Amino acid sequence: MFLVVAVSLLLAAVALISFELLGRHHSADPVRKMPGPKTNLLFGNVLQLPRLPNDLVTQMFQWVYEYPNGMFCVWLGPTYPFIFLYKPELVEVVLHSSKHISKSADYDFLHPWLGTGHDGLKWKTRRRLITPTFHFSTLNTFLQVFEEQSKILVSNLEKKVKTGTFNIMPYITLCTLDIICITSMDSSPNAQGDTSSPYVEAVGRITELIQKRQRSPWLWPDIVYFLTPSGREHNHCLKILHGFTNEIIDERIADRAAKKSDPQSEENATEQGEEGEFKRKRRLAFLDLLLEAYDKGEISREGIREEVDTFMFEGHDTTAAGLTWALYLLARHPHIQQQVHEEVDKFFEQRPETLTGEDLKDLRYLECVVKEAQRMFPSVPFIARRTTEDCHLDGYLAPKGTAIGVCTIGLHRNPKVWEAPLEFNPDRFLPENSQGRHPYAFVPFSAGPRNCIGQRFALQEEKLVLAHVLRNFTLDSTQTFDELQTCGEIITRPKNGIFVSLAKR
């Protein structure tokens, strides 16, 4: 009986989806003129999409090289086109636009986890609320946290010296999780002290499940998906993720209420600033800004959770990936690692007692390393938008409502833009070698009006964590590109981790 009901629901869902899609068939006609792989009458290109994430990256690169003019169209079903761009001039058309700022329907599968804070007007309002978190003076107060957690990371890594190869990615991920919790919510889960983090495991698993669902149209209807084992596991991960952030938010709300009832509390203490301004002694965290907005009725309790969940995910998983890829590339290129060692040693010899973002500019070559790692392995492999009006792309028309994806990993390895794109060469980002480069040839943090608000935070964090690791260790790795099996999920990550060996300097 259960099987009959499930099949009936599935057929009904398929019929509804087909009706909706067929209604859009005519508007999709112009897109059919775009270059792209041959489609199946009923399934589009869905059956050509590999089931494994690492094979999906390989397939994407095959299409990138097969269609060298910077774009191709893949059909997720008979009438659902998805256009991929990897030519700077075309990428600029979409990302620079102040109109095409809506996320594509693919992001709908993130709604149960991250909510709808990225949608249209809601995104604009919340962006305004959280902008003060990333003011340079606030970022300076976070550098101490970066250093404190970097030293804990170094202490943990010292236990792996001369023990052979090991997967360094979990160590980096726990470090970035502690950093984002402290800087955004002024609350530490001590993830580096307790390495079995259910939160980290749930993040990794739910991103796999979401990405699998995105490329499986038969799993799109909620009524079908949540009857499957994957759907049930998805909900289990959600309970862990939302439980983690809700607990922190509730604790902070209770703490704020207690402080307000005690006017003598340290929380309310102020001190006179140099210019006569009164400033709180405690660091103003991201969550504080949201709670102040909550007190004013500018954001709901659910909205706070949405923003915290988004900030937690984007602030720790993407940064962890960027750090790990940089360490891997340095481990594979000892001559470049030696240059970084020399710069880092000089930096720590001359560093002031209290660091500022200005001081981190002295790590110039290390910044080139970070950027080159982001070029080769961008933390976010794809950025997707939905056109809010007709969009013209090199003589082709993408009608209103069409999904367009910036294939970041294809853009950053486009041989027409980057000479020897698979070669690790940080010199590409030296000022003299960056002149004349198209501003949309390198977009690890997206670009235009919807660029990543936390990109300066992420760059400073990566530079300082890397500086502490490289001050203490020499890294080596025998893992080849082929052995990495790069996965293009929501985050660009290696299928089985990054394996290195450490020697104490």
Side-chain angles (χ1 to χ4, degrees):
M1 182 64 182
F2 173 79
L3 180 61
V4 173
V5 172
V7 171
S8 300
L9 290 173
L10 175 61
L11 291 175
V14 170
L16 287 172
I17 293 171
S18 300
F19 181 79
E20 178 186 354
L21 292 179
L22 288 173
R24 290 162 41 188
H25 180 82
H26 180 72
S27 66
D29 281 344
V31 186
R32 297 185 183 278
K33 300 176 182 179
M34 293 185 174
K38 186 176 180 180
T39 60
N40 178 284
L41 180 62
L42 294 178
F43 301 104
N45 300 112
V46 168
L47 299 181
Q48 301 172 42
L49 297 176
R51 307 313 302 157
L52 297 177
N54 52 300
D55 292 337
L56 181 62
V57 170
T58 302
Q59 177 66 77
M60 282 294 169
F61 278 129
Q62 289 177 356
W63 284 332
V64 165
Y65 288 107
E66 187 175 347
Y67 305 102
N69 290 329
M71 64 184 296
F72 65 85
C73 183
V74 171
W75 291 76
L76 303 178
T79 55
Y80 187 85
F82 199 107
I83 302 167
F84 287 93
L85 308 178
Y86 42 94
K87 176 182 175 182
E89 292 79 7
L90 295 177
V91 170
E92 181 177 17
V93 171
V94 176
L95 296 188
H96 183 70
S97 171
S98 59
K99 298 178 180 179
H100 305 309
I101 60 173
S102 296
K103 299 288 188 178
S104 73
D106 302 80
Y107 288 85
D108 291 353
F109 302 123
L110 288 165
H111 287 175
W113 176 19
L114 304 181
T116 59
H118 58 74
D119 289 346
L121 293 176
K122 187 185 289 188
W123 165 77
K124 289 183 178 180
T125 301
R126 294 187 182 176
R127 176 106 176 192
R128 175 181 56 81
L129 288 178
I130 65 178
T131 294
T133 301
F134 300 98
H135 188 273
F136 70 91
S137 60
T138 304
L139 291 179
N140 282 340
T141 68
F142 294 155
L143 297 183
Q144 180 183 353
V145 178
F146 298 166
E147 288 213 284
E148 290 171 351
Q149 296 304 314
S150 296
K151 291 175 182 177
I152 296 174
L153 171 64
V154 167
S155 177
N156 289 335
L157 291 178
E158 283 178 344
K159 301 170 187 175
K160 306 300 293 185
V161 170
K162 295 183 179 180
T163 61
T165 60
F166 70 102
N167 183 9
I168 197 172
M169 193 163 192
Y171 291 85
I172 302 298
T173 302
L174 295 175
C175 176
T176 60
L177 176 58
D178 274 337
I179 286 175
I180 199 64
C181 283
I182 297 171
T183 55
S184 66
M185 295 178 286
D186 203 26
S187 175
S188 173
N190 189 30
Q192 294 196 87
D194 180 10
T195 56
S196 58
S197 170
Y199 180 87
V200 171
E201 293 174 2
V203 167
R205 185 58 185 144
I206 201 170
T207 55
E208 293 174 3
L209 293 168
I210 291 171
Q211 206 273 338
K212 178 182 177 182
R213 188 184 183 192
Q214 285 175 331
R215 62 180 190 272
S216 306
W218 52 90
L219 295 177
W220 289 357
D222 288 347
I223 197 171
V224 174
Y225 183 62
F226 293 115
L227 290 174
T228 67
S230 292
R232 290 192 292 272
E233 186 179 3
H234 174 279
N235 284 340
H236 174 69
C237 291
L238 274 185
K239 288 181 180 178
I240 296 173
L241 297 170
H242 287 169
F244 181 86
T245 48
N246 278 329
E247 182 179 357
I248 293 175
I249 293 170
D250 290 341
E251 287 177 355
R252 179 54 60 81
I253 289 176
D255 180 63
R256 283 168 62 88
K259 300 294 185 183
K260 286 180 180 178
S261 65
D262 180 8
Q264 301 301 318
S265 69
E266 183 179 352
E267 176 75 10
N268 290 323
T270 58
E271 61 180 356
Q272 187 76 19
E274 291 181 0
E275 299 177 5
E277 300 174 339
F278 283 95
K279 304 177 181 179
R280 280 189 290 184
K281 288 182 177 180
R282 192 176 56 77
R283 190 170 43 239
L284 186 68
F286 169 74
L287 181 54
D288 290 308
L289 292 172
L290 293 176
L291 290 173
E292 288 179 359
Y294 173 71
D295 291 341
K296 298 174 184 176
E298 297 175 339
I299 190 171
S300 67
R301 170 64 174 74
E302 181 183 1
I304 294 175
R305 184 192 54 75
E306 289 179 351
E307 292 303 309
V308 170
D309 278 330
T310 301
F311 203 73
M312 286 288 297
F313 168 58
E314 295 182 352
H316 100 271
D317 211 25
T318 56
T319 308
L323 283 164
T324 309
W325 288 120
L327 289 170
Y328 166 74
L329 290 166
L330 288 171
R332 293 286 292 171
H333 298 83
H335 62 292
I336 295 177
Q337 185 178 170
Q338 179 58 36
Q339 286 183 256
V340 176
H341 278 151
E342 293 172 1
E343 181 179 75
V344 166
D345 291 345
K346 183 178 179 182
F347 170 78
F348 280 105
E349 288 173 2
Q350 300 177 350
R351 58 156 288 173
E353 183 176 347
T354 302
L355 279 179
T356 67
E358 193 68 23
D359 298 317
L360 294 185
K361 292 181 179 179
D362 290 338
L363 295 169
R364 294 180 179 88
Y365 192 66
L366 181 57
E367 182 168 325
C368 293
V369 167
V370 170
K371 290 181 177 180
E372 177 68 345
Q374 291 171 337
R375 182 192 69 80
M376 296 184 70
F377 299 99
S379 293
V380 180
F382 307 105
I383 304 167
R385 299 284 173 82
R386 176 176 54 82
T387 57
T388 52
E389 60 182 34
D390 289 354
C391 181
H392 297 273
L393 301 165
D394 271 2
Y396 295 98
L397 173 64
K400 177 182 177 180
T402 304
I404 298 182
V406 175
C407 183
T408 316
I409 198 165
L411 172 70
H412 288 185
R413 297 188 188 182
N414 187 334
K416 289 191 173 184
V417 179
W418 306 93
E419 184 179 352
L422 296 183
E423 177 185 325
F424 178 57
N425 179 14
D427 287 359
R428 300 179 201 268
F429 290 95
L430 292 172
E432 60 270 24
N433 296 331
S434 299
Q435 294 179 3
R437 182 177 298 144
H438 195 286
Y440 284 79
F442 179 66
V443 291
F445 296 100
S446 188
R450 288 213 67 162
N451 68 337
C452 174
I453 193 173
Q455 58 184 288
R456 187 189 302 170
F457 176 103
L459 183 58
Q460 291 185 354
E461 178 183 350
E462 289 194 35
K463 287 171 68 173
L464 204 45
V465 172
L466 286 172
H468 276 275
V469 172
L470 293 164
R471 182 191 189 191
N472 288 274
F473 306 107
T474 298
L475 296 90
D476 184 45
S477 178
T478 59
Q479 199 173 15
T480 65
F481 265 31
D482 291 338
E483 291 171 338
L484 286 173
Q485 299 186 62
T486 306
C487 296
E489 298 173 342
I490 297 176
I491 302 297
T492 307
R493 62 176 90 245
K495 182 179 180 181
N496 297 311
I498 294 291
F499 287 82
V500 302
S501 58
L502 297 180
K504 185 72 176 175
R505 292 185 65 206

